[in-house]
Amino acid sequence: MNGEKRGPLAEGERVLLFGGTFDPPHNGHIHFLKSAIEAAKPARVVVMPSCIPPHKAASATPAALRLAMCECFKPLFPVLEVSDWEIRQGGKSYTIDTVKMLEQKYPGAWVYLCVGSDMLTTFTEWRNWQELLRRTVLVAQSRETGDMPALRAAARALEAEGGKVLFTDSPALPLASTDLRAHRRDLSEVPEATRRVIEENHLYER
Ligand code: ATP
């Protein structure tokens, strides 16, 4: 995995964590990560496919293939690791555990956490969300046209609890993996590297 070759981060450098089910990764994810990199200016990016997401049904797609599909993120940043850490832990993946792992791995670094709008507005349902707010800076992105007022309100409520929320400047690119799995959207909306894995492994066929 590239990125592993570099040495430790300097004090105060930023690690940008992009977690998700990625079943499959799509152009909305690419758009978000590009914008989050511009906003957060990280020294390193970690893309982390979850094992079992706590808030939705377990993915039917094998974890190894979700990892392979995440290779599409690598061209976005020179020091970007696609990590199998949550998958190796097994069971439900809680972001608080992943953040603590990153803090140990990169002492002195700041963890910036990507949250799409659905994640921002449900943030207080996350395990140990108050502790997460203390330990991270949230990098938020609109997903639906017109969702900014709700996002600003959610951010204000989290800031009142001591959280830090950084918005990307990018407009929404509405798209969800669910729509791709259900054939409501087609493979023109996934990156080329991901499309190859889907086709070679006959994923999401009717
Ligand atoms: P599903 O439809 O299976 O629930 P999803 O499309 O929401 O999947 P995830 O892998 O769960 O994708 O998302 C990972 C992260 O990317 C989350 O923070 C989510 O909010 C964000 N995200 C997903 N799609 C978009 C999009 N189109 N624009 C911005 N952020 C997005």
Side-chain angles (χ1 to χ4, degrees), residues 1-3 18 22 24-26 29-30 33 47-49 63-77 80-84 190-198 200:
M1 272 162 217
N2 65 7
F18 188 33
F22 302 122
H26 52 65
H29 293 126
I30 296 279
L33 186 53
V47 174
M48 183 71 73
L65 292 179
R66 289 189 293 116
L67 265 174
M69 290 193 283
C70 285
E71 292 290 303
C72 67
F73 295 115
K74 285 193 170 165
L76 298 190
F77 197 70
L80 185 150
E81 174 195 0
V82 177
S83 173
D84 62 356
V190 305
E192 176 62 27
T194 299
R195 191 170 60 77
R196 270 200 304 276
V197 178
I198 294 173
E200 281 165 13

Side-chain angles (χ1 to χ4, degrees), residues 19 21-22 26 29 32 56 116 118 143 173 175-178 181:
T21 321
F22 302 122
H26 52 65
H29 293 126
F32 182 13
K56 38 187 175 183
D118 50 324
R143 278 188 76 161
L173 195 162
L175 183 58
S177 301
T178 308
R181 292 195 303 278

Side-chain angles (χ1 to χ4, degrees), residues 33-69:
L33 186 53
K34 266 189 195 159
S35 313
I37 289 169
E38 276 168 27
K41 302 189 173 31
R44 172 182 293 264
V45 175
V46 178
V47 174
M48 183 71 73
S50 56
C51 186
I52 301 177
H55 58 292
K56 38 187 175 183
S59 172
T61 307
L65 292 179
R66 289 189 293 116
L67 265 174
M69 290 193 283

